[in-house]
Amino acid sequence: MKYFSDKEQGMPPRTLTEINVAIWNGIVLIINEFIANASLAASFPERCDDSGEICGCDEAALSDGIKSIIPNLGMGLNRLTEPIVSPFDNDIEAQDINTYAVLDLVEYIHHNIKDVRQIGNFHTYFKHYHYCIDDRGANRKAFQEKINELFERNGLNYTLTDAGRIERIVPLPLNLIIHRVVQTKDLTLNGLVSDATGKMLLPKLEDRKLALEKLWDAFERSKTFFLEDGKVDKRKSVDRVLDKLSGNDTNFRQLLNDECLALTKIGNEYQIRHFEKDKIAIENSDEIDYLFYRMFSYMNLFSECIE
């Protein structure tokens, strides 16, 4: 739903990467809604003492499931109190929130939600309804929409996909190219690029660093595309690649040659493929996005022109 301020001022930028107390409390509120409507009863059934039919969600079983699958969450499905600022300017901090564990929780809940249907009449003695499982995906979709609205309105840099996977929202220019498929006759090269693009969408910074490594590995392999049984050395293979990519346009070939040299230098000097102490560390998402975009642009051209 779009509110008045959204129309007048637009939505907040999706730059927040850490889940704060307000977002956590919103997630708890949404999960409790789907506990109450028995959407989690299929995976964690509470059964009627009279008939044995499902009558709701067993919250103790749900809690045990969460603790066993996401042990680093470190807290139950309870709202937290906002940090209090003391008169001496020292914040009394709320319980630490593990952002990645919370995102795991969202995926876990989505996976276990099913549609249910009331059967029979209201059980007047135990004061509950009975349910049967009639899963058509409607409740998972509703959960996804509520979670994504919460993330969007708070500027959180993640989204819950139709498949129930948390993905990072990449900058628009990168998003325009990252879903393109690099398809060549070299299946290993294709696989490296595919692994790289998949990891770029993951929330953890370490996964996105690994995405850079995979993409640079693909780049180095592309240099040997015409290397067959030792008949052509690597330098000659690179020359043939550049001829193909440039369409024998001398000026563009020089530009591509310079770009390949620059990308090779980046791969050697930064902690992408080499991690010696004298290599330059990559510290944040902006640096990763820039380097990935730059390299993927080359690999996309390679894919389109090489065959």
Side-chain angles (χ1 to χ4, degrees):
M1 178 178 175
K2 298 297 183 184
Y3 294 90
F4 176 78
S5 63
D6 305 331
K7 301 168 189 174
E8 293 293 310
Q9 301 174 333
M11 299 298 291
R14 305 290 290 272
T15 56
L16 187 65
T17 58
E18 299 293 326
I19 290 178
N20 56 33
V21 172
I23 297 173
W24 165 255
N25 288 341
I27 291 171
V28 169
L29 184 66
I30 293 170
I31 293 174
N32 282 333
E33 176 184 344
F34 285 82
I35 291 174
N37 68 14
S39 294
L40 291 158
S43 297
F44 310 99
E46 180 181 2
R47 297 193 177 273
C48 176
D49 290 336
D50 184 17
S51 67
E53 294 173 294
I54 295 174
C55 60
C57 172
D58 184 336
E59 294 186 46
L62 172 60
S63 177
D64 289 342
I66 292 171
K67 290 176 183 176
S68 64
I69 299 299
I70 316 170
N72 56 338
L73 182 62
M75 53 190 178
L77 294 178
N78 304 307
R79 74 181 309 277
L80 299 177
T81 303
E82 294 279 1
I84 300 171
V85 179
S86 78
F88 305 101
D89 295 327
N90 292 318
D91 289 351
I92 301 172
E93 296 183 359
Q95 184 173 352
D96 289 339
I97 298 175
N98 183 327
T99 292
Y100 298 140
V102 175
L103 296 176
D104 288 346
L105 172 67
V106 170
E107 290 185 337
Y108 181 74
I109 294 296
H110 181 274
H111 175 73
N112 284 287
I113 285 177
K114 301 285 189 299
D115 294 347
V116 297
R117 177 168 48 85
Q118 288 182 11
I119 53 175
N121 298 320
F122 183 70
H123 197 305
T124 54
Y125 184 80
F126 287 111
K127 300 187 184 304
H128 60 225
Y129 286 99
H130 297 153
Y131 302 95
C132 68
I133 310 306
D134 185 20
D135 190 34
R136 302 178 184 183
N139 287 352
R140 280 191 300 278
K141 186 65 176 177
F143 178 79
Q144 177 196 10
E145 290 173 353
K146 287 176 179 288
I147 288 293
N148 283 338
E149 180 185 33
L150 174 68
F151 287 0
E152 181 182 22
R153 295 198 62 77
N154 286 274
L156 197 62
N157 189 225
Y158 307 111
T159 188
L160 179 62
T161 69
D162 291 342
R165 177 185 179 189
I166 292 289
E167 290 186 352
R168 186 176 70 101
I169 296 176
V170 299
L172 181 59
L174 182 55
N175 190 54
L176 292 174
I177 67 169
I178 198 171
H179 297 291
R180 296 179 184 176
V181 177
V182 169
Q183 191 67 43
T184 71
K185 66 181 181 182
D186 187 336
L187 299 182
T188 299
L189 186 150
N190 300 343
L192 287 168
V193 177
S194 179
D195 286 348
T197 54
K199 292 182 186 304
M200 270 299 287
L201 296 172
L202 297 178
K204 293 182 181 179
L205 189 69
E206 293 306 313
D207 286 323
R208 301 200 297 277
K209 288 181 179 180
L210 187 56
L212 278 185
E213 180 181 348
K214 294 288 186 182
L215 194 59
W216 248 261
D217 286 343
F219 170 63
E220 290 299 327
R221 186 174 178 89
S222 74
K223 296 177 182 178
T224 64
F225 190 81
F226 293 108
L227 190 65
E228 297 177 1
D229 301 325
K231 296 177 182 177
V232 180
D233 62 28
K234 186 175 182 180
R235 179 63 256 178
K236 290 181 179 178
S237 176
V238 171
D239 286 339
R240 288 183 63 184
V241 167
L242 292 176
D243 288 342
K244 279 277 191 180
L245 269 56
S246 66
N248 292 315
D249 181 315
T250 304
N251 292 326
F252 189 51
R253 190 186 191 286
Q254 185 59 52
L255 186 150
L256 288 175
N257 184 71
D258 294 343
E259 180 68 354
C260 285
L261 291 173
L263 292 170
T264 300
K265 183 178 180 181
I266 290 169
N268 290 333
E269 294 184 355
Y270 283 77
Q271 290 183 10
I272 296 176
R273 304 178 70 237
H274 307 286
F275 296 90
E276 296 89 341
K277 289 184 178 181
D278 60 340
K279 304 304 178 186
I280 304 169
I282 297 172
E283 304 290 353
N284 58 60
S285 286
D286 290 339
E287 294 175 358
I288 293 174
D289 287 345
Y290 166 76
L291 292 172
F292 193 94
Y293 184 88
R294 183 170 174 178
M295 176 58 87
F296 194 86
S297 296
Y298 173 83
M299 292 306 300
N300 183 62
L301 178 67
F302 176 86
S303 173
E304 292 182 352
C305 299
I306 198 65
E307 298 294 356

